């Protein structure tokens, strides 16, 4: 059984927010081969406190007692306001708020606990060297803070599985997770930890449809009820704005890979994240180890290879989700 931490920015039930974090949490909760020991929250897809409320709501509906710890409310350097304007208000500007009208309002949560995600992650990982996998499916601010606070973290963590980056995908120069905090992404990628990366190139090969949600709904358990109820509005939004058959499920791939590594193909690459103050900011590059890297006025940096996912078998991914969530019992 893999012991894992999920560092995330869930948005299930929040108008305009992606729901793939919630599905990743659901799969981790349901899978027999995974023990989810800690959930930490970072600002990204949703504001930090909103994501915290979503995660707590899911666990309350399931009567699960897993620690949920707040982390960073903003990036290391990147200004938060432009991202919050885009991520929190796009759905209103597009006139699509009504898609979420049938969802009941999320209950208020009065919680004033301190944001100490980096400490919680660092203590768990460094106290159990080689045993804990960190699944990082939001901006990497919390993980960067952990690396800065715990010098042994990078060599103590079993693996960091990251959803982030984009390399050769038409129409995308950067992904949101890296773009919200490029400096954090660079710190983590260059940490020397054992890293597996799920870039947009592979996560946009995934697809979940309303027919798939119908199948999940037929399982009629509290976990699938939460996922189906909160996913349908986002899926309709994705269909209307992205002209897809359903919605991509980026983040769940990082958990599914821990259950069955054969659902993806991957190769080792040297990866770099740009922190330049120009149009390349937050973009990511990859090249094979030993390949010539051209630099202009910059010293060469020695990078540890990163295992980069390249393709996914979406049908097998869905089967993993169906099998785990279908057998879930409180």
């Amino acid at each position: 059984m893999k012991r894992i931490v999920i560092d995330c920015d869930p948005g299930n039930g929040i108008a305009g927010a992606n729901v793939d974090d919630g599905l990743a949490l659901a799969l981790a909760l349901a899978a027999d081969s995974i023990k989810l020991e800690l959930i930490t929250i970072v600002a990204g897809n949703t504001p930090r406190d909103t994501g915290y409320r979503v995660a707590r709501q899911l666990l309350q509906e399931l009567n699960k007692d897993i620690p949920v710890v707040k982390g960073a409310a903003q990036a290391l350097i990147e200004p938060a306001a432009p991202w919050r304007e885009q991520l929190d208000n796009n759905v209103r500007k597009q006139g699509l708020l009504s898609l979420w009208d049938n969802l009941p309002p999320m209950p208020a949560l009065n919680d004033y606990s301190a944001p100490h995600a980096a400490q919680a992650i660092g203590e768990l990982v460094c106290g159990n060297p080689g045993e804990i996998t960190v699944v990082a499916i939001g901006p990497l601010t919390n993980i960067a803070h952990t690396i800065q606070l715990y010098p042994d973290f990078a060599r103590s963590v079993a693996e960091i599985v990251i959803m982030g980056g984009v390399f050769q995908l038409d129409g995308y120069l950067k992904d949101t997770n890296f773009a919200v905090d490029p400096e954090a992404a660079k710190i983590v990628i260059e940490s020397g930890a054992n890293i597996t990366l799920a870039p947009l190139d592979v996560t946009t090969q995934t697809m979940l449809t309303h027919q798939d949600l119908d199948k999940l709904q037929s399982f009629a358990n509290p976990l699938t009820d939460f996922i189906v109820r909160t996913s349908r509005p986002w899926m309709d939004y994705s269909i209307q704005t992205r002209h897809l058959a359903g919605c991509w499920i980026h983040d769940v791939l990082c958990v599914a890979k821990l259950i069955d590594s054969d659902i993806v193909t991957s190769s080792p690459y040297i990866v770099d994240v740009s922190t330049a103050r120009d149009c390349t900011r937050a973009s990511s590059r990859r090249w094979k180890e030993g390949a010539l890297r051209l630099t202009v006025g910059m010293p060469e940096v020695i990078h540890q290879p990163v295992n980069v996912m390249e393709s996914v078998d979406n049908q097998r991914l869905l089967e993993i989700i169906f099998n785990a969530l279908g057998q879930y019992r409180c």
Side-chain angles (χ1 to χ4, degrees):
M1 181 174 287
K2 286 187 181 289
R3 302 171 62 189
I4 75 168
V5 173
I6 293 185
D7 185 67
C8 57
D9 50 354
N12 295 66
I14 306 301
N18 205 327
V19 296
D20 54 341
D21 295 79
L23 187 55
L25 288 169
L27 182 57
L29 289 164
D32 291 336
S33 59
I34 287 179
K35 183 181 181 184
L36 178 58
E37 299 193 10
L38 173 67
I39 300 168
T40 54
I41 307 298
V42 66
N45 175 46
T46 51
R48 190 266 318 273
D49 290 353
T50 300
Y52 178 78
R53 192 158 48 107
V54 171
R56 288 287 304 274
Q57 177 65 22
L58 169 59
L59 295 180
Q60 286 176 8
E61 291 193 19
L62 301 178
N63 293 313
K64 287 285 187 182
D65 186 20
I66 296 172
V68 182
V69 181
K70 297 176 187 175
Q74 61 185 43
L76 299 180
I77 294 175
E78 184 78 5
W83 283 106
R84 294 275 51 97
E85 172 62 24
Q86 177 180 333
L87 293 167
D88 300 341
N89 294 320
N90 262 1
V91 66
R92 175 181 53 80
K93 293 176 181 177
Q94 293 165 320
L96 295 174
L97 275 173
S98 61
L99 292 174
W100 279 262
D101 281 352
N102 291 330
L103 281 184
M106 190 164 291
L109 178 64
N110 295 320
D111 187 291
Y112 304 102
S113 58
H116 64 279
Q119 291 90 336
I121 296 168
E123 289 172 10
L124 180 60
V125 169
C126 294
N128 299 273
E131 296 182 18
I132 308 297
T133 293
V134 174
V135 178
I137 51 179
L140 292 171
T141 319
N142 287 343
I143 312 304
H145 280 310
T146 305
I147 290 168
Q148 292 169 332
L149 288 170
Y150 293 84
D152 291 336
F153 173 80
R155 58 178 171 266
S156 296
V157 67
E159 183 180 15
I160 309 175
V161 186
I162 297 168
M163 193 275 123
V166 59
F167 300 106
Q168 293 176 312
L169 186 62
D170 289 345
Y172 289 88
L173 175 64
K174 60 194 76 175
D175 82 294
T176 302
N177 283 349
F178 280 13
V180 167
D181 197 340
E183 281 75 19
K186 190 172 185 69
I187 287 170
V188 177
I189 290 295
E190 296 180 1
S191 67
N194 176 26
I195 292 174
T196 296
L197 186 66
L200 277 183
D201 309 63
V202 66
T203 63
T204 54
Q205 298 172 30
T206 67
M207 183 58 59
L208 187 75
T209 67
H210 277 299
Q211 290 73 29
D212 297 322
L213 290 180
D214 291 342
K215 183 169 183 176
L216 288 175
Q217 191 165 23
S218 71
F219 299 141
N221 63 57
L223 186 54
T224 55
D225 288 349
F226 178 89
I227 292 301
V228 172
R229 179 180 80 239
T230 60
S231 295
R232 289 206 189 272
W234 170 258
M235 187 173 290
D236 287 334
Y237 177 77
S238 175
I239 291 169
Q240 290 193 40
T241 60
R242 294 176 175 166
H243 310 294
L244 300 174
C247 65
W248 295 316
I249 45 176
H250 311 277
D251 292 343
V252 74
L253 185 57
C254 294
V255 176
K257 175 263 180 191
L258 299 177
I259 298 169
D260 181 2
S261 61
D262 290 337
I263 65 170
V264 297
T265 63
S266 56
S267 297
Y269 288 91
I270 306 299
V271 173
D272 180 57
V273 181
S274 172
T275 54
R277 299 287 182 166
D278 57 28
C279 64
T280 68
R281 182 169 173 77
S283 63
S284 45
R285 296 173 291 171
R286 66 182 179 186
W287 61 95
K288 289 293 187 180
E289 190 172 11
L292 178 65
R293 180 186 177 195
L294 298 178
T295 58
V296 179
M298 294 292 290
E300 187 70 27
V301 177
I302 304 302
H303 293 269
Q304 182 79 12
V306 169
N307 194 40
V308 178
M309 298 186 200
E310 295 178 309
S311 67
V312 58
D313 184 332
N314 189 66
Q315 188 54 48
R316 289 180 66 179
L317 172 62
L318 293 175
E319 289 169 3
I320 288 171
I321 295 169
F322 294 147
N323 290 339
L325 272 64
Q327 68 183 5
Y328 178 79
R329 298 293 180 270
C330 290

